[in-house]
Amino acid sequence: MSPQLAVVQYYEPWWIQILKAVVIFAIILQLQPILIVGERKLLGRFQGRYGPNRVGPYGLATPLADIIKLATKEQFRPDTSIGWMFALAPVISVLTAVGALAIIPFGDTQDIFGTDVGLYGLDVSIGPLFVFAMGAVAFYGIMLGGFSSGSKYSFLGSMRAAAQLISYEVSQGLALVGVVMTAQTLSLTEIVHAQQGMWYFIPQFLGFLIFLVASFAETNRAPFDLVEADAEIVGGYFTEYGGTRFTSYLFAEYINMCVVSLIMVTVFFGGWLLPFGINPPGWVDPFIVLGKTSFFLIFFIWIRATLPRLRYDQLMSFGWKILLPLATLNTLVTAIILVVTD
Amino acid sequence: MSWHPGADHVEVMRPPAPGAAGGTYRAFAETLRGLKTTFSRVVEGVHTLQYPEQKTPVYPRFRGRHRLHKFEDTDLEKCVGCSLCAAACPADCIRVVAAENTPEHRVSAGERYAAVYEINLSRCIFCGYCEVACPFDAITMGNDYEMSDYQRSDLIFTKEMLLAEPVERTPLRADGE
């Protein structure tokens, strides 16, 4: 193993960096309304109904109407809230969600008009650690939001967030260690290159399952949506939020969903690689990544339509007693196999 | 000495204890089963009726908005203003004011006719007692059930409105449907 974990072999001009950042941000942001209306329509199908189909053709303009409604609402906050923190919290959520997008590879380095451009924001040598760092800060967005609202439901939600996100982040991180050991690199593009022969979800199937389950908890999606739990604590940390601030939280949640799906595709499902030796031209790569990602997004929605919310003690005992030992075992076994076969 | 239950003892099915590892394995299997269940809903298709465009057909004896009738041959009103419907009405929503028929001004087949016939549909409970009480089958329950309005006063239906041929808005269920 080389002492350097990732080597950037080319130089990108500064304007390409900015351009890439804008393009990735714009594309992922435009995916969110599609994701929201897609989720509502799919949830409808899972329950034997149509879902929204009144606004625009096939109801596709529904998120547009929603956003116009939310954006034109009055800004308000409770008397008991802490003003600056209340305003800052959704910003943290969105920033960290978008920030995690920076390192996700959508394709290999391409030669565009004579300039080498990597189809990713950055190829950092700390890859998954960056994502976990962003996830750890994102939890402040949720916790500060609930804490500063000055409402009991919000406070309960933020306390739940604190416990849940911390306990599942451990398993999520450990599940990736197996992959990192197998690929011998932390750079996400290098991890994709290392999957040339076999996608990592086959040798690291347990790790994939643990990561998948922990991702549901990390993104506060059903069945781990105790942080929101609209039936118990009226939306949890965003109970007191309305208008654009609520929209920010909503977008952050859906961007987070996209981010974990993209990470899963990159780390376990070979990123932009296709099986059976199919090797399309480079410009197809982002579409392959997004196509694989949409599969996971649909799976997220499918799970939401299927599973009821866990009880709080079940959530905790599942995280600490099952997921964490399994993730540790996975790491140990992978390490032993790697040493033995090396 | 152990206790022996009789031949008619009941076997109680107990769920497995909610253990950690075994429980997780069972939860995993049940999750897959649940995923199959929800996916079969997608395959099954939707059951929604797109209401304003599609309507559930009503049965022939469905009690909707009232209608007043005329004789088809003579074009005279069947109602003779006897007020039996108003007397039968439990919600007290029918108002009838009768007047005498004259040879020059003959409205109904009997001696008298209903000069004013009003049904307050915001009070009506659609029990159909008026239809039962009427000796001449002058009032019947129609099939129309779309009667929402912006003003309560608009829900007081006059004789002309009740006599008028209603706009066909409600599909009727065919035989055997």
Side-chain angles (χ1 to χ4, degrees):
Chain A
M1 191 167 44
S2 66
Q4 276 169 305
L5 287 170
V7 188
V8 179
Q9 284 114 344
Y10 61 98
Y11 167 76
E12 280 182 353
W14 59 271
W15 52 272
I16 284 204
Q17 294 278 356
I18 293 173
L19 207 65
K20 281 199 301 193
V22 170
V23 167
I24 291 174
F25 175 70
I27 288 177
I28 297 294
L29 204 68
Q30 292 321 302
L31 283 181
Q32 306 318 313
I34 302 171
L35 185 57
I36 290 171
V37 76
E39 168 165 39
R40 289 180 61 191
K41 283 189 89 76
L42 265 176
L43 274 180
R45 292 281 164 172
F46 280 122
Q47 295 162 358
R49 55 187 174 84
Y50 285 105
N53 63 352
R54 290 282 148 177
V55 190
Y58 301 105
L60 290 179
T62 311
L64 199 68
D66 281 346
I67 287 163
I68 290 172
K69 181 199 82 175
L70 286 166
T72 49
K73 273 190 169 182
E74 183 190 358
Q75 285 282 10
F76 64 93
R77 65 184 182 86
D79 236 10
T80 46
S81 65
I82 306 166
W84 63 273
M85 223 189 258
F86 189 78
L88 184 68
V91 179
I92 297 176
S93 272
V94 171
L95 277 184
T96 50
V98 173
L101 282 172
I103 61 152
I104 298 201
F106 291 92
D108 215 345
T109 314
Q110 306 295 333
D111 189 359
I112 301 175
F113 303 125
T115 322
D116 273 343
V117 178
L119 296 184
Y120 38 78
L122 283 169
D123 185 13
V124 286
S125 53
I126 51 168
L129 298 181
F130 181 86
V131 177
F132 289 127
M134 283 297 171
V137 179
F139 134 80
Y140 281 101
I142 289 175
M143 207 193 75
L144 289 183
F147 173 71
S148 62
S149 288
S151 130
K152 290 193 179 83
Y153 286 128
S154 303
F155 191 67
L156 275 174
S158 65
M159 287 302 107
R160 285 180 172 198
Q164 175 182 329
L165 267 64
I166 287 171
S167 33
Y168 277 79
E169 190 139 23
V170 183
S171 323
Q172 202 185 16
L174 270 177
L176 278 192
V177 171
V179 169
V180 171
M181 282 192 300
T182 319
Q184 310 247 319
T185 175
L186 273 167
S187 150
L188 286 176
T189 44
E190 291 302 315
I191 287 178
V192 173
H193 281 302
Q195 297 179 69
Q196 207 69 253
M198 186 195 283
W199 294 358
Y200 278 152
F201 85 98
I202 299 168
Q204 288 287 326
F205 189 67
L206 185 62
F208 164 64
L209 280 186
I210 294 164
F211 189 84
L212 184 69
V213 173
S215 300
F216 279 100
E218 279 294 295
T219 49
N220 307 323
R221 297 280 305 176
F224 299 107
D225 57 346
L226 285 107
V227 177
E228 289 155 28
D230 29 11
E232 301 163 28
I233 50 173
V234 212
Y237 60 93
F238 58 65
T239 306
E240 305 296 343
Y241 280 90
T244 40
R245 286 168 182 171
F246 171 74
T247 322
S248 315
Y249 269 135
L250 192 75
F251 266 49
E253 183 185 330
Y254 280 89
I255 293 174
N256 271 327
M257 220 167 109
C258 283
V259 167
V260 291
S261 303
L262 283 163
I263 294 279
M264 266 190 280
V265 167
T266 310
V267 171
F268 292 105
F269 282 81
W272 61 83
L273 302 175
L274 280 178
F276 313 121
I278 307 169
N279 204 3
W283 59 269
V284 190
D285 290 353
F287 296 101
I288 296 171
V289 173
L290 288 179
K292 286 179 183 174
T293 307
S294 64
F295 172 78
F296 281 105
L297 293 175
I298 288 169
F299 186 71
F300 266 78
I301 296 162
W302 189 4
I303 285 282
R304 182 182 167 184
T306 305
L307 293 179
R309 188 180 305 122
L310 262 69
R311 217 170 50 215
Y312 196 69
D313 60 314
Q314 290 171 334
L315 174 95
M316 277 298 145
S317 65
F318 183 66
W320 289 108
K321 291 182 188 165
I322 306 295
L323 230 46
L324 188 59
L326 273 182
T328 317
L329 199 70
N330 182 50
T331 314
L332 272 177
V333 171
T334 312
I336 290 168
I337 289 175
L338 277 177
V339 169
V340 166
T341 56
D342 197 19
Chain B
M1 193 182 138
S2 61
W3 173 68
H4 294 288
D8 58 341
H9 74 282
V10 182
E11 287 281 352
V12 180
M13 292 278 286
R14 292 203 188 283
T24 305
Y25 173 70
R26 278 195 304 278
F28 185 66
E30 289 296 306
T31 302
L32 294 184
R33 211 161 66 91
L35 287 174
K36 187 175 143 244
T37 308
T38 38
F39 190 72
S40 65
R41 292 288 88 73
V42 179
V43 178
E44 202 176 282
V46 290
H47 299 284
T48 313
L49 213 63
Q50 296 289 311
Y51 165 62
E53 291 91 31
Q54 306 169 352
K55 287 171 187 169
T56 323
V58 297
Y59 285 96
R61 290 173 64 181
F62 179 84
R63 296 196 299 267
R65 181 173 70 75
H66 315 72
R67 289 185 60 191
L68 285 176
H69 295 279
K70 289 179 175 179
F71 287 107
E72 275 169 19
D73 44 354
T74 55
D75 207 37
L76 290 171
E77 285 169 20
K78 286 186 180 176
C79 178
V80 296
C82 67
S83 300
L84 277 176
C85 46
C89 182
D92 200 14
C93 69
I94 304 180
R95 174 168 165 256
V96 184
V97 176
E100 295 284 333
N101 277 318
T102 52
E104 303 87 58
H105 184 68
R106 172 162 284 277
V107 179
S108 78
E111 262 179 45
R112 305 202 298 168
Y113 71 98
V116 175
Y117 194 102
E118 283 176 1
I119 298 182
N120 186 351
L121 283 175
S122 63
R123 296 192 59 138
C124 178
I125 59 169
F126 299 93
C127 61
Y129 282 9
C130 47
E131 187 182 13
V132 176
C134 186
F136 294 102
D137 285 343
I139 183 168
T140 58
M141 307 297 278
N143 297 324
D144 203 358
Y145 56 81
E146 291 167 334
M147 286 165 291
S148 46
D149 224 318
Y150 291 103
Q151 302 276 323
R152 288 190 183 187
S153 54
D154 290 346
L155 282 169
I156 300 174
F157 274 56
T158 59
K159 192 170 82 167
E160 287 69 37
M161 291 154 88
L162 293 165
L163 274 169
E165 207 51 45
V167 189
E168 273 309 326
R169 284 191 293 198
T170 316
L172 199 63
R173 212 170 271 258
D175 266 348
E177 200 179 343

